[in-house]
Amino acid sequence: MLVSVIIPTYNRKKLLDISINSVLNQKYQNFEIIYSDDGSTDKTVEILREHEKYFVQKKIGIKILINSHKGPGAARNKGIASSRFNWISFIDSDDQWTENKLERVSGSIEQSKNCNCVVHNEIFKKKNGKEIQFNYKKLYKPHKSIFKQLFLKNFLSTSSVTLKKKLIIGANFFDEELENAQDYDL
C-alpha cells in the first residue's frame, strides 16, 4: 500500500520539527510526503528545504509546494492534486504521529480489503503538558447512519484520517471558502 502524506503549513517555523521528525521516523516507509505551504512569510519554506535531504536519504519522495495564502483547505487541495498514490493521509504541521502510525493504518487496510477510510484515536497535548484522550472508536457505530453520527460529533479529525483519494475527489475536495472546519465539511 502506498500513501501520500499531505501536510499543509503556514508560518510554522517554530513547530515544523515536530511533524518533520514524526514522519521521518515512521517504521512504514511506503509513502511520499507533500508539504503544501500556504504562503508563509516566515522561514517555513527554508526549513522544509533544509530538511528535504533527510527524506531523500531515506528514499522517501518529498514535494514542497509553495502556494499563495488561501487557507488550509486550499493548501490541502493543492497537495492532494499533486499526490501520486491512491491513499491519502493528513497531518497538520504542528501535529505529531507515533512511529507506527502508518504501519498500523496499513495493517488495518490490508486486513479489510473493502476499507476506504481508517480513523484512529488521538491524544491532545496542552501547553501545560496535560493530555486529553479522544477515543473516536466509542463515537462511531458501524450500523448507524454516518451522517447522523457526524451531525452530533465529528470523529474524523484530519490528522487521524487515512482515506482513498477517490473519496476526496468525489466530494469535490475541501471547501476553500470555509475559514475553518473544512475537514468536518468534507
Side-chain angles (χ1 to χ4, degrees):
M1 186 191 95
L2 299 170
V3 181
S4 294
V5 177
I6 312 295
I7 305 179
T9 187
Y10 177 70
N11 288 344
R12 291 289 191 190
K13 72 177 184 178
K14 293 180 181 176
L15 297 171
L16 270 178
D17 284 347
I18 294 169
S19 69
I20 289 171
N21 289 326
S22 78
V23 292
L24 267 175
N25 293 327
Q26 289 298 300
K27 291 179 181 178
Y28 189 84
Q29 297 287 302
N30 294 331
F31 68 95
E32 69 174 344
I33 188 85
I34 302 170
Y35 278 95
S36 186
D37 184 72
D38 188 37
S40 291
T41 56
D42 64 0
K43 294 184 184 267
T44 295
V45 173
E46 290 174 40
I47 292 168
L48 291 174
R49 287 196 171 126
E50 289 170 10
H51 286 82
E52 191 172 13
K53 63 186 172 206
Y54 300 115
F55 289 95
V56 172
Q57 287 171 355
K58 286 192 162 197
K59 296 184 171 91
I60 298 169
I62 181 170
K63 294 178 189 172
I64 300 170
L65 308 178
I66 302 168
N67 309 297
S68 57
H69 184 55
K70 293 184 179 176
R76 286 186 186 104
N77 287 344
K78 295 279 188 184
I80 295 161
S82 177
S83 67
R84 297 184 302 150
F85 303 130
N86 293 327
W87 287 92
I88 304 290
S89 198
F90 299 100
I91 178 172
D92 288 341
S93 59
D94 60 344
D95 286 353
Q96 180 178 0
W97 284 345
T98 60
E99 65 184 17
N100 62 350
K101 184 257 183 9
L102 289 177
E103 180 180 65
R104 292 184 70 191
V105 165
S106 171
S108 293
I109 291 168
E110 299 278 330
Q111 286 178 345
S112 180
K113 296 296 181 187
N114 294 327
C115 174
N116 61 16
C117 180
V118 174
V119 180
H120 57 74
N121 296 334
E122 287 183 307
I123 300 170
F124 179 78
K125 292 184 182 181
K126 291 183 155 195
K127 290 181 181 179
N128 65 7
K130 185 177 177 180
E131 293 183 355
I132 301 170
Q133 303 276 336
F134 290 102
N135 188 343
Y136 299 128
K137 187 176 182 177
K138 286 183 178 180
L139 297 173
Y140 174 65
K141 309 297 181 218
H143 302 294
K144 292 191 176 186
S145 164
I146 190 80
F147 177 79
K148 288 179 182 176
Q149 292 179 70
L150 287 171
F151 183 76
L152 297 173
K153 180 88 172 157
N154 183 13
F155 49 85
L156 298 175
S157 170
T158 311
S159 289
S160 72
V161 172
T162 300
L163 70 159
K164 286 187 176 178
K165 181 166 54 174
K166 70 180 183 180
L167 294 177
I168 302 167
I169 294 167
N172 292 320
F173 295 84
F174 288 92
D175 186 339
E176 297 178 16
E177 299 299 315
L178 296 175
E179 289 186 30
N180 54 40
Q182 302 95 353
D183 56 340
Y184 201 6
D185 176 67
L186 181 72

